[in-house]
Amino acid sequence: MDAAAAMGRPRVVELRQMSDEALLAALAGAPLLPPDLSVDDLCHLLARDGLEAAARATGWTPAQLQRAVLALAFAARRVAAVERKRAPVIASGEDLYELVTPHLRGFRQERVVAVFCDRGKRVLSTEVVAYGDEGRCPFPAARIVTRALELDARYVAVAHNHPSGDPSPSREDLEVTRSLRDVLRSEGVILLDHVIVTERDFTSLRLEGHLD
């Protein structure tokens, strides 16, 4: 008897008590997995060797494995959706400052951080994209744009530190920011802000009117 038939119409409490292996078998309408094969093992097997190898290891039919793949894909999508909802939202320069501070404070060399956000301004990824010296750091605009497209980001924010303690933007800071804004805009991506961080303060170029 397969897992689905044995399960019948379980109550929610019963579903919570089921192992991952039993639940996946029920969703696939298949027998229980062999005792030495976990759901993680099955995922690796499917990704590495495909359906035929998985069929030999499990005894499941291609149709049952296809249902299992759909169930696993649905579960992964729901987990990703929950994680996105938990992700911070960049709605202001202060939000950006709080997010990037751990990456920028306490360093004697300049570094550039890029924050990539979805259409709801929720953070997809926060990445240190360049390292420099005490007075200058190369600004990797091409890398930032490429990464934004890879992540399908709709918004990007950037930040860098001034070890000197002066959060005022230099002429070069303003030029590279406006250049990045224009290149991102050509790709349908909006530059939310560029903040300059020191040990005690920060400057938002958007709040200062440099991104209007």
Side-chain angles (χ1 to χ4, degrees):
M1 181 182 295
D2 64 31
M7 187 176 66
R9 292 181 177 272
R11 295 174 299 176
V12 172
V13 173
E14 293 172 339
L15 286 172
R16 290 174 179 169
Q17 294 173 345
M18 292 176 66
S19 68
D20 291 345
E21 288 71 25
L23 186 55
L24 182 63
L27 289 169
L32 291 173
L33 290 170
D36 60 344
L37 193 68
S38 69
V39 170
D40 287 342
D41 294 333
L42 178 59
C43 290
H44 291 310
L45 185 60
L46 285 165
R48 186 186 64 206
D49 299 327
L51 287 176
E52 290 187 6
R56 291 193 296 271
T58 61
W60 292 6
T61 67
Q64 289 169 337
L65 285 167
Q66 289 284 8
R67 287 194 290 270
V69 169
L70 289 173
L72 291 166
F74 179 77
R77 181 175 295 180
R78 296 312 306 155
V79 169
V82 170
E83 291 301 319
R84 284 196 299 272
K85 289 181 179 179
R86 291 177 178 171
V89 174
I90 303 300
S92 67
E94 288 82 1
D95 292 336
L96 179 57
Y97 169 67
E98 291 179 4
L99 180 68
V100 302
T101 292
H103 301 281
L104 295 174
R105 271 189 174 172
F107 296 97
R108 298 181 61 181
Q109 295 79 32
E110 286 196 12
R111 47 173 54 190
V112 177
V113 174
V115 181
F116 305 92
C117 303
D118 64 14
R119 63 182 66 253
K121 299 182 182 178
R122 293 188 181 278
V123 175
L124 298 169
S125 182
T126 301
E127 304 173 12
V128 179
V129 293
Y131 299 87
D133 54 32
E134 292 187 17
R136 188 179 181 279
C137 184
F139 203 87
R143 178 179 176 183
I144 292 170
V145 174
T146 299
R147 186 65 174 140
L149 297 177
E150 289 175 350
L151 294 171
D152 195 25
R154 291 295 177 265
Y155 295 91
V156 170
V158 293
H160 78 281
N161 59 322
H162 277 184
S164 66
D166 180 2
S168 303
S170 67
R171 177 179 296 180
E172 184 180 6
D173 290 338
L174 298 178
E175 289 174 352
V176 297
T177 300
R178 289 166 181 155
S179 176
L180 177 62
R181 175 198 62 190
D182 294 343
V183 176
L184 285 169
R185 182 182 293 164
S186 71
E187 299 290 349
V189 182
I190 296 172
L191 181 62
L192 282 173
D193 205 345
H194 180 176
V195 299
I196 300 170
V197 176
T198 67
E199 290 302 299
R200 297 185 177 182
D201 202 0
F202 78 100
T203 294
S204 161
L205 298 195
R206 181 166 293 283
L207 290 178
E208 293 289 317
H210 297 297
L211 281 174
D212 293 340

